[in-house]
């Protein structure tokens, strides 16, 4: 596996909290003001990236607040100066020429720090209640494949003519493009066979949900072995971190978080009823019970500062370049990670070099 400089990112708090909605020190807050402060703090702590997930209403409870991804990402691009901003996109929500134009504009506002995360949807009512048919799993991926083909060509500044099953594009080009670098980076999420093929064919970086190292090794091996037209695909991992002076303290804290999350059970249950049963990602979550979204603590970043640093190094040796992290309470634990874990990872990396 080629080795890259490690990068750390944070999940912007689009739902208001990572983990439990009932943490006394971290009540849900999905407001723009909170997220602006959070990302500016992350940037000043040295985090390299932030992921802004996409849902139009809160998947656990539509009475709760939800941050809008694309408008918030645009504003984040304007108020930050160094951090990468990754906005998730579900193809059914934006026509590809609109999305390519918006992404190119954010690329310019951010001076070349923008990326998209292509996700092909599991949250049924978001589309269905809007009167947009929620296509079958594999059809969604077929749609996403045409969609990203159009977006990629427009990003590159091509004059696009495209006749597909879903899109008919004639003589379309957008300007400006490529002012700061060739084009925005393309991440892709999703674990199914279709997701893996789509990532290998069209993405720069594949996002893996938090899970144990052996599973991550297998997934990296499968995607890296697929044919590629461009530079080798790179890998990112989502994970929830619980780090303390000692492993015993971290395990106590994890137990506390799990006890809080009992109060979230009705919300989790409601969300489960809104998901596509064919989404492979949820089968992975069922195998690895965890705290936090997208695999959360199943990646095993729970323990003493040294243990967590060593586990990150191990994932890096398997080929993970970017770690997209969750914490709770977010701001305080993110600062702890930057001050305690990150220097240890840097020391391990220098020793290994
Ligand atoms: C890091 C990461 C971030 C994701 N973000 C989103 C998101 O913002 N919105 C969404 O609907 N799905 C999101 N997903 C879910 C997937 O992209 C995909 O919709 C899901 O895994 C179902 O597809 P599958 O059957 O291929 O696993 C994310 C996945 C990963 C790994």
């Amino acid at each position: 596996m080629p080795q890259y400089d490690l990068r750390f990112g944070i999940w912007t708090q689009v739902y208001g909290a990572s983990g439990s909605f009932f943490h006394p020190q971290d009540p849900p807050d999905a407001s723009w003001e909170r997220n602006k402060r959070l990302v500016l703090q992350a940037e000043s702590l040295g985090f390299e990236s932030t992921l802004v997930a996409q849902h139009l209403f809160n998947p656990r409870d539509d009475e709760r607040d939800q941050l809008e991804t694309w408008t918030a990402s645009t504003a984040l691009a304007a108020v930050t100066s160094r951090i990468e901003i990754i906005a998730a996109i579900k193809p059914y929500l934006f026509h590809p020429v609109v999305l390519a134009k918006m992404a190119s504009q954010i690329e310019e506002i951010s001076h070349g720090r923008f990326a998209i995360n292509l996700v092909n949807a599991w949250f049924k009512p978001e589309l269905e209640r809007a009167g947009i048919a929620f296509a079958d799993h594999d059809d969604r991926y077929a749609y996403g494949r045409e969609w990203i083909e159009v977006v990629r060509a427009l990003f590159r500044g091509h004059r696009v003519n495209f006749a597909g099953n879903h899109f008919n594009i004639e003589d379309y080009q957008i300007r400006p493009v490529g002012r700061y670098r060739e084009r925005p980076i393309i991440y892709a999420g999703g674990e199914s066979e279709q997701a893996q093929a789509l990532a290998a064919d069209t993405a720069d970086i594949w996002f893996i949900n938090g899970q144990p190292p052996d599973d991550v090794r297998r997934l990296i091996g499968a995607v890296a072995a697929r044919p590629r037209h461009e530079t080798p695909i790179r890998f990112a991992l989502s994970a929830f971190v619980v780090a303390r002076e000692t492993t015993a303290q971290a395990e106590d804290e994890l137990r506390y978080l799990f006890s809080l999350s009992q109060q979230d059970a009705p919300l989790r249950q409601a969300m489960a009823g809104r998901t596509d049963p064919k989404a492979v990602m949820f089968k992975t979550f069922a195998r690895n019970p965890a705290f936090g979204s997208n695999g959360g603590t199943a990646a095993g970043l729970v323990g003493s500062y040294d243990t967590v640093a060593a586990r990150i190094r191990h994932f890096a040796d398997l080929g993970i370049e970017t770690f997209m992290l969750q914490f709770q309470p977010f701001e305080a634990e993110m600062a702890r990670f930057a001050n305690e874990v990150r220097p240890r990872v840097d020391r391990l990396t220098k020793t290994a070099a």
Side-chain angles (χ1 to χ4, degrees):
M1 268 300 138
Q3 294 282 318
Y4 299 95
D5 286 344
L6 291 191
R7 301 160 76 241
F8 293 93
I10 60 147
W11 284 74
T12 299
Q13 293 297 280
V14 296
Y15 316 108
S18 279
S20 177
F21 276 167
F22 299 92
H23 196 298
Q25 275 97 51
D26 191 20
D29 183 356
S31 66
W32 158 245
E33 287 301 331
R34 187 270 178 113
N35 277 293
K36 177 176 74 173
R37 276 196 309 275
L38 175 69
V39 174
L40 286 169
Q41 186 192 349
E43 185 174 63
S44 70
L45 287 168
F47 284 87
E48 284 90 355
S49 184
T50 188
L51 172 63
V52 192
Q54 186 182 42
H55 295 295
L56 296 184
F57 58 87
N58 197 305
R60 289 185 250 185
D61 176 2
D62 64 4
E63 291 291 337
R64 290 176 183 270
D65 292 352
Q66 178 78 21
L67 188 76
E68 199 288 306
T69 303
W70 282 77
T71 46
S73 294
T74 312
L76 285 172
V79 299
T80 55
S81 51
R82 194 183 51 77
I83 199 165
E84 176 187 51
I85 296 152
I86 312 170
I89 174 66
K90 283 180 254 198
Y92 284 90
L93 292 176
F94 287 101
H95 189 281
V97 304
V98 179
L99 191 283
K101 182 64 185 164
M102 284 175 19
S104 297
Q105 188 64 62
I106 308 178
E107 174 77 350
E108 172 162 294
I109 293 169
S110 66
H111 294 198
R113 290 181 289 123
F114 188 60
I116 65 170
N117 184 27
L118 174 63
V119 292
N120 282 286
W122 52 265
F123 182 39
K124 293 173 76 172
E126 178 188 49
L127 295 178
E128 285 176 347
R129 290 187 199 170
I132 304 169
F134 191 84
D136 186 66
H137 183 274
D138 298 1
D139 295 338
R140 293 201 302 283
Y141 276 99
Y143 186 94
R145 184 172 278 276
E146 284 196 6
W147 186 96
I148 191 69
E149 205 175 310
V150 173
V151 169
R152 279 177 64 103
L154 290 168
F155 275 177
R156 286 227 159 90
H158 297 171
R159 186 175 289 279
V160 178
N161 286 288
F162 182 92
N165 292 324
H166 303 286
F167 302 107
N168 267 301
I169 316 289
E170 205 184 309
D171 195 26
Y172 224 100
Q173 70 169 13
I174 56 173
R175 292 289 182 275
V177 293
R179 187 162 283 169
Y180 293 93
R181 56 183 177 175
E182 192 186 3
R183 59 167 172 77
I185 301 292
I186 300 170
Y187 290 75
E191 282 192 27
S192 55
E193 171 70 25
Q194 292 78 6
Q196 295 184 22
L198 186 59
D201 290 345
T202 65
D204 303 301
I205 302 179
W206 189 46
F207 252 128
I208 302 175
N209 290 298
Q211 48 200 298
D214 282 349
D215 294 331
V216 170
R217 180 191 286 112
R218 177 179 49 75
L219 289 169
I220 287 178
V223 172
R226 286 179 182 267
R228 249 327 247 182
H229 301 299
E230 299 186 356
T231 51
I233 192 160
R234 291 141 61 195
F235 299 94
L237 182 73
S238 176
F240 189 106
V241 177
V242 185
R244 288 289 181 277
E245 277 298 332
T246 68
T247 291
Q249 287 167 348
E251 283 169 0
D252 279 350
E253 178 64 16
L254 182 61
R255 265 191 293 280
Y256 170 65
L257 293 172
F258 270 124
S259 73
L260 290 176
S261 79
Q262 286 172 9
Q263 296 171 71
D264 297 273
L267 296 171
R268 273 199 304 273
Q269 216 166 3
M271 191 175 101
R274 300 178 186 127
T275 62
D276 173 12
K278 290 190 184 163
V280 172
M281 163 176 102
F282 290 100
K283 298 185 173 66
T284 303
F285 300 161
R287 272 203 315 277
N288 304 304
F291 186 83
S293 79
N294 291 82
T297 53
L301 301 190
V302 177
S304 69
Y305 302 139
D306 287 325
T307 302
V308 172
R311 289 184 181 164
I312 287 172
R313 224 11 279 171
H314 182 51
F315 278 121
D317 292 339
L318 297 180
I320 298 293
E321 170 191 2
T322 300
F323 292 83
M324 194 55 64
L325 302 178
Q326 302 176 358
F327 308 93
Q328 193 166 33
F330 209 102
E331 284 79 352
E333 294 298 316
M334 168 177 90
R336 184 199 293 275
F337 179 90
N339 295 328
E340 301 290 353
V341 179
R342 178 127 197 201
R344 286 168 164 87
V345 177
D346 291 344
R347 281 200 291 277
L348 288 175
T349 303
K350 277 204 199 90
T351 321

